[in-house]
Amino acid sequence: MWKSASSEHGTVYRAATSNLIVPIDAPLRDRIAPVLTEVTRRNPSRLVQIERSERESPDSRRLFARTTALCHLRPGGGLVCSEQIVVRWSARSCSLVPSAVQALLVGDLPVVILAIEPGPRAQWLAAFEGIADLRIADSATESEPAAMARLWTDLPGPRRTALHDLAWARLGAWRALLAEAFERPEAAEVPPAIQEVTIAHGGPAPPAGAWLLAGWLASRLGWTPKGAARGHVRLAGPTRPVTIAFVRDEEETRHLIRRVRIRSGAPRPFDLSVEHRGHDPVARIEAAAPVHASREATFAYRDLAGSIVGEIHRHEPNRTFEDAARVAKEMIALWPAP
């Protein structure tokens, strides 16, 4: 394979900065394939793509595999290539997956599991809890709050595998805009007086990003969940009760945050709304109190490949995410069943 590539395209640079293990089922394959190609362009890796066979056969007790190269032209000529190994398994050969994949890993490189499929994890993934350096998940793929809360629970195993959530990574722009709003002189003393937060979202139920954003606000401002009713959570703040309401926005069809509104009353009246639509490069910020004002601000949207690479490069523990997820789980535990 490498000899053929070299003769046709000049110098070939084989590169790998990590082992990237990606379990994929058929419904996700076509959508994720171009994303993985872009991930290897930005972060060359030995990509081990693990697929479940869609049908059983007389050979279903065996694993099947193929190897290809994901190559990208360098500006100065030549190719930078990552190895892609596709391993296909069935229910009868599932037990063979861990040993086969471990034998394919490049030694001394980080092991990253990119598991962004909804639903329960494949059984063989448990075998990597002791050797993986990082697991990247996406709670936004889950539709039920209970499934999101389970994902945010620390993995068991002989040592803790770090967990990064792409739903949290996507909140970077929201958190930056809200934090910046409270850095302004007229809002510096408002946080202890906040009484109500409204998060408008698409979809019938609050998406993972809405829960994590609510958890972030609560964990940063010292709010403790105390109860919940249909559509809102009640929390105890350091000085007064707080309500976080989740409201469906009928115009938004995707499971995204559309608008966040924060209000307080006397003695420090405050009313701020931040709205963002889809992939727009800007967000609209409206203030009704203490003074009326409106402006636009840059909304730093990142695509899926960029979010994945960003989390691969994040090595330090993310205490802010862990605190937000902890409070989000507490709120979900109080949330009434449908």
Side-chain angles (χ1 to χ4, degrees), residues 11-334:
T11 305
V12 175
Y13 301 89
R14 297 169 59 182
T17 60
S18 64
N19 297 287
L20 185 57
I21 303 172
V22 187
I24 298 178
D25 278 343
L28 186 65
R29 187 185 304 129
D30 292 342
R31 184 173 71 87
I32 199 65
V35 175
L36 294 178
T37 300
E38 181 62 17
V39 168
T40 60
R41 186 186 71 81
R42 304 184 194 184
N43 185 81
S45 305
R46 173 168 285 188
L47 173 61
V48 183
Q49 188 171 310
I50 307 173
E51 302 178 357
R52 177 163 185 168
S53 177
E54 299 177 16
R55 62 180 65 181
E56 298 290 331
S57 68
D59 291 329
S60 59
R61 288 173 293 182
R62 302 167 55 192
L63 296 177
F64 293 87
R66 68 178 187 274
T67 304
T68 57
L70 296 176
C71 298
H72 308 278
L73 286 169
R74 299 175 69 238
L79 297 172
V80 176
C81 296
S82 296
E83 296 165 323
Q84 180 187 39
I85 305 170
V86 179
V87 178
R88 185 165 293 169
W89 60 280
S90 67
R92 300 176 68 183
S93 61
C94 176
S95 61
L96 302 176
V97 173
S99 59
V101 172
Q102 290 183 45
L104 297 170
L105 301 180
V106 179
D108 299 326
L109 290 183
V111 177
V112 179
I113 298 175
L114 177 62
I116 58 175
E117 292 182 309
R121 294 183 297 153
Q123 295 179 354
W124 55 264
L125 270 175
F128 292 93
E129 291 169 5
I131 65 170
D133 299 280
L134 171 64
R135 178 186 168 209
I136 299 176
D138 189 357
S139 58
T141 62
E142 302 290 352
S143 58
E144 296 297 328
M148 303 170 196
R150 285 193 296 270
L151 188 149
W152 297 325
T153 301
D154 291 343
L155 293 175
R159 70 179 180 88
R160 186 172 180 267
T161 297
L163 173 66
H164 294 183
D165 189 351
L166 296 177
W168 171 259
R170 297 187 191 98
L171 290 178
W174 281 105
R175 293 186 291 117
L177 290 175
L178 293 174
E180 188 272 338
F182 287 103
E183 291 175 355
R184 295 173 175 263
E186 66 271 18
E189 298 182 359
V190 168
I194 293 174
Q195 294 175 303
E196 181 179 342
V197 176
T198 302
I199 301 177
H201 59 85
W211 288 110
L212 287 172
L213 187 64
W216 171 68
L217 287 169
S219 62
R220 295 300 92 188
L221 298 175
W223 302 342
T224 304
K226 293 297 183 181
R230 180 64 60 190
H232 68 271
V233 178
R234 300 183 302 274
L235 306 96
T239 59
R240 63 179 61 189
V242 182
T243 298
I244 298 180
F246 299 94
V247 179
R248 181 176 183 177
D249 189 309
E250 298 294 342
E251 295 182 1
E252 180 59 70
T253 58
R254 292 165 295 184
H255 291 216
L256 302 173
I257 298 174
R258 177 69 171 269
R259 183 173 54 259
V260 177
R261 186 180 184 185
I262 300 177
R263 290 184 287 182
S264 68
R268 298 183 181 88
F270 184 78
D271 191 338
L272 178 79
S273 178
V274 180
E275 182 172 357
H276 179 254
R277 297 171 179 263
H279 296 168
D280 284 0
V282 296
R284 187 75 178 174
I285 302 175
E286 301 276 352
V291 294
H292 289 272
S294 65
R295 61 188 177 93
E296 290 186 341
T298 300
F299 194 93
Y301 171 78
R302 286 200 301 176
D303 61 12
L304 180 56
S307 298
I308 293 171
V309 173
E311 294 309 302
I312 292 175
H313 292 170
R314 183 190 297 275
H315 302 294
E316 296 298 321
N318 194 339
R319 303 302 184 196
T320 305
F321 161 62
E322 293 174 0
D323 291 342
R326 173 182 53 80
V327 179
K329 288 190 294 183
E330 293 176 6
M331 290 190 288
I332 289 173
L334 298 171

